[in-house]
Amino acid sequence: MIKKYSLLLGVILVLVVVRFLWLGIFPPGLSNDETEYMLSAKSYALYDRDVSGYGFPLSLFKSETDGVIAPIPAILSAPFYLIFDLNIATARLPFVIISLLSAWVIYKLADVLFKNKQAALITVIVFLINPWAFYFSRNTADAPFALLFYLWGLYLLLSSTKHRFLTSFAMFAIGFFSYNGAKTLLLPVVFVALVYLRFAAKRITNWQAILYLLATIIFVGGFVLIANNIEGSVLSVRTKEVRVDNSDLAQSVDQLRRQSVTSPLTSLFVNKPMIAAKEMTAKYLSVFSLPTFFLSGDGRATYRFEDYGLFHLADLGFMVVGLMYLAKKHTRALILILGMIAVAPVASVLSSIELSVVNRSFMILPMIVLVIGQGVYFLFAKFGKSFLRLPALAVSLVLLTSFIYFLNFYLFRFPVTAQEDYWTSERVLVNYLNYETQGTVWVSTEPWNSVMRKIFYSSEVAQDELLKSTYPLNQKKDYIIGHTLITPKCPENIDSTKIYITGPRVECDLGEPSMVIEDHKDAGHAIKIYNSDFCDVPLEPYRRFNAVSDYYIEGMDKDTLCSRWFNSPN
């Protein structure tokens, strides 16, 4: 196989190496959930619990972290931090491995569906150059784990040998506890897979399908039953975010009825079920937005690319070819793929907090990759060995150009445009505070998350010591970390012996700041620092250019940190 497919395997090897490129600096920080997951991973490694104090197995049902995190990503990442220090590079290392394992499972899945190893290898290449998949390889949260285990469970189930039914169920169960958004997806995914196996592939009996589905229903029902008896469980917290259970629906009904001429049909068509159905339909269709897929990425600010889609623009053409090829050559596989795509948005549709396509609709990614992979394979198979080799070379050039264009965007533009989506200014601030010995008051709109970043960007010794104590979540609470008070309240009295810091979206009347950390996207002041004489070098009023070396923040000495990241207020 290595000799026969040496070119494809060589391309895959190069793409694997690229996965590790500048792992510690791009993206230039971590989001709130990412920080909690990584600190929880280290907390599990050291103290067998997440940062809110809950250990396995209770953490399967309850967490008091800000993101109400699922336990599996932190638990499975924990062994790394018995070996490595925790920093951005080592935080992302398990997720690169998870991404590569996902690529391997996609290869196995494509091979099962299409019985063609060359087509399966091409599908792996499509996955490795995909923007959505590349994002997952550096997103230190939960959806990448759910993607791997749901794909793994699906592959084992589709292999349809009796001894794999139990292992496939185990993979689905791990995926279920890997991401809260995956919980609503388990039953639809299993149902679609069983319908395919029974009626399209005809590889299982009615009783096998019924027993597997019944086991899945009992598993989900058991989770619901246990969670309902635990105060403050994940279920009780997350169900408040489900739109069909939202009290705002009643207000919407009242408003629409007041704005309508009285009619016998009003109560029939203006009621909570009808409004909920309309809103969920709108959300469902919004998931499949072409701009989201091919131009701007996810609509939610934390995950949004803005200038690039979740797929390459050229993939649209390969998708069309792939669908036509599958419809003709692999009709049964296409039924499965379209069924999975149809049910994938269920978590996005049910949530009242934005769509978050990139995370909640994660099963769309591998299914569309399978379609694109078949489109690319068809073009190579049709033109690669004939006198019309130029089209095959053109396809290769389009794939290569698309990926290089994306890398240029992701590595050289995205760190600037998405600086504050990843709280880069707080990363810089914590590194400054690691030098500072003077008493400090840090005013933050999200004290808990600032505390998490303060711990994450501290030294290994400081991390270990600080994680000994759990920090109960309270966004209105004052936290003391070393010589720093992190608080949501502006100070009433100014102490001339203390340094004052105001974070993003904080307005305190403290006079003229000594220096600021800019948002390099628009030169606005992300963080203001008062009463500090830390920087000895002259500060510029704004950043004139950005360099890759700017993002090796933890390795900077005092003067370099000042000259690269701090600016004068005027």
Side-chain angles (χ1 to χ4, degrees), residues 17-195:
V17 172
V18 171
R19 272 291 195 272
F20 295 89
L21 181 64
W22 286 324
L23 199 60
I25 59 175
F26 296 130
L30 298 177
S31 66
N32 294 338
D33 285 357
E34 289 181 290
T35 309
E36 283 191 322
Y37 269 106
M38 290 300 94
L39 287 177
S40 289
K42 182 150 191 178
S43 185
Y44 271 111
L46 297 175
Y47 309 115
D48 301 317
R49 52 173 169 76
D50 68 19
V51 290
S52 67
Y54 292 93
F56 183 86
L58 182 57
S59 58
L60 293 175
F61 304 93
K62 184 172 183 177
S63 173
E64 292 186 1
T65 52
D66 182 43
V68 197
I69 65 174
I72 295 299
I75 290 172
L76 294 185
S77 300
F80 282 83
Y81 308 113
L82 294 173
I83 304 171
F84 302 107
D85 294 350
L86 177 60
N87 53 51
I88 288 188
T90 59
R92 290 173 178 152
L93 184 59
F95 291 83
V96 173
I97 295 171
I98 289 296
S99 175
L100 297 178
L101 285 173
S102 297
W104 173 76
V105 176
I106 283 177
Y107 165 79
K108 301 292 286 184
L109 184 60
D111 195 28
V112 165
L113 290 174
F114 310 126
K115 303 294 189 295
N116 186 316
K117 295 193 183 305
Q118 184 179 20
L121 289 173
I122 289 174
T123 303
V124 170
I125 292 173
V126 170
F127 178 81
L128 290 175
I129 68 173
N130 176 264
W132 195 343
F134 199 89
Y135 163 83
F136 268 173
S137 71
R138 297 182 181 224
N139 176 38
T140 65
D142 37 23
F145 274 81
L147 173 65
L148 170 64
F149 289 110
Y150 271 34
L151 277 177
W152 206 336
L154 182 61
Y155 157 66
L156 292 171
L157 182 58
L158 296 183
S159 298
S160 69
T161 52
K162 293 180 181 178
H163 72 280
R164 288 185 170 181
F165 278 11
L166 185 59
T167 51
S168 73
F169 190 85
M171 293 299 106
F172 281 130
I174 296 172
F176 182 88
F177 287 114
S178 293
Y179 173 39
N180 293 322
K183 290 177 170 56
T184 56
L185 188 58
L186 179 59
L187 275 171
V189 165
V190 168
F191 179 77
V192 170
L194 292 175
V195 169

Side-chain angles (χ1 to χ4, degrees), residues 429-430 432-444 447 450-451 454-455 458 466 471 478-487 498-501:
L429 177 64
V430 172
Y432 153 69
L433 292 175
N434 290 338
Y435 280 106
E436 191 62 76
T437 57
Q438 193 172 338
T440 306
V441 177
W442 175 358
V443 184
S444 171
S450 296
V451 166
K454 177 69 172 73
I455 297 173
S458 296
L466 290 167
Y471 290 84
D478 294 345
Y479 298 91
I480 297 177
I481 306 290
H483 61 270
T484 301
L485 167 66
I486 302 177
T487 176
K498 291 184 178 180
I499 295 170
Y500 293 90
I501 298 165

Side-chain angles (χ1 to χ4, degrees), residues 275-290:
I275 292 176
K278 181 180 179 181
E279 289 186 356
M280 287 191 290
T281 301
K283 283 191 172 186
Y284 184 86
L285 295 175
S286 297
V287 168
F288 298 102
S289 158
L290 290 181

Side-chain angles (χ1 to χ4, degrees), residues 156-316:
L156 292 171
L157 182 58
L158 296 183
S159 298
S160 69
T161 52
K162 293 180 181 178
H163 72 280
R164 288 185 170 181
F165 278 11
L166 185 59
T167 51
S168 73
F169 190 85
M171 293 299 106
F172 281 130
I174 296 172
F176 182 88
F177 287 114
S178 293
Y179 173 39
N180 293 322
K183 290 177 170 56
T184 56
L185 188 58
L186 179 59
L187 275 171
V189 165
V190 168
F191 179 77
V192 170
L194 292 175
V195 169
Y196 164 78
L197 284 171
R198 176 64 191 94
F199 298 105
K202 297 182 179 179
R203 294 209 299 265
I204 61 174
T205 65
N206 286 336
W207 278 112
Q208 286 175 321
I210 290 170
L211 287 174
Y212 199 101
L213 182 61
L214 184 61
T216 306
I217 292 171
I218 292 172
F219 172 76
V220 175
F223 167 78
V224 172
L225 182 64
I226 295 172
N228 273 335
N229 287 282
I230 297 175
E231 185 179 357
S233 69
V234 170
L235 185 66
S236 65
V237 173
R238 291 302 188 186
T239 49
K240 295 176 183 177
E241 299 173 2
V242 176
R243 179 57 172 160
V244 294
D245 190 37
N246 196 308
S247 60
D248 289 344
L249 283 175
Q251 297 178 10
S252 298
V253 171
D254 291 341
Q255 182 179 1
L256 286 174
R257 288 182 177 179
R258 286 195 302 269
Q259 295 173 348
S260 302
V261 176
T262 303
S263 163
L265 298 178
T266 299
S267 59
L268 179 63
F269 293 113
V270 182
N271 51 57
K272 287 195 286 187
M274 291 294 291
I275 292 176
K278 181 180 179 181
E279 289 186 356
M280 287 191 290
T281 301
K283 283 191 172 186
Y284 184 86
L285 295 175
S286 297
V287 168
F288 298 102
S289 158
L290 290 181
T292 297
F293 278 7
F294 300 107
L295 296 177
S296 59
D298 199 284
R300 192 169 184 181
T302 306
Y303 317 120
R304 189 172 177 82
F305 288 162
E306 291 190 11
D307 292 328
Y308 213 94
L310 300 177
F311 298 92
H312 303 295
L313 189 58
D315 286 340
L316 182 58

Side-chain angles (χ1 to χ4, degrees), residues 322-446:
L323 287 170
M324 294 171 62
Y325 175 69
L326 286 171
K328 182 177 180 179
K329 190 76 174 178
H330 299 285
T331 309
R332 292 183 299 181
L334 179 60
I335 292 171
L336 173 70
I337 291 169
L338 293 179
M340 288 294 172
I341 291 174
V343 301
V346 61
S348 292
V349 169
L350 290 176
S351 176
S352 62
I353 305 177
E354 301 179 302
L355 284 177
S356 184
V357 174
V358 71
N359 288 321
R360 297 190 185 119
S361 301
F362 64 88
M363 280 298 287
I364 290 177
L365 164 61
M367 296 301 114
I368 292 185
V369 162
L370 288 171
V371 174
I372 295 171
Q374 286 300 292
V376 174
Y377 166 74
F378 169 76
L379 293 174
F380 277 127
K382 185 172 181 62
F383 300 122
K385 295 182 179 180
S386 70
F387 66 93
L388 293 172
R389 290 186 177 180
L390 186 58
L393 291 174
V395 170
S396 301
L397 185 61
V398 167
L399 292 170
L400 177 63
T401 303
S402 296
F403 186 53
I404 292 175
Y405 186 90
F406 169 72
L407 285 181
N408 179 71
F409 161 78
Y410 193 81
L411 299 177
F412 301 119
R413 289 172 53 204
F414 192 56
V416 177
T417 61
Q419 173 185 307
E420 290 311 296
D421 292 337
Y422 290 91
W423 298 88
T424 310
S425 61
E426 288 202 0
R427 178 184 177 187
V428 174
L429 177 64
V430 172
N431 279 274
Y432 153 69
L433 292 175
N434 290 338
Y435 280 106
E436 191 62 76
T437 57
Q438 193 172 338
T440 306
V441 177
W442 175 358
V443 184
S444 171
T445 56
E446 300 180 357

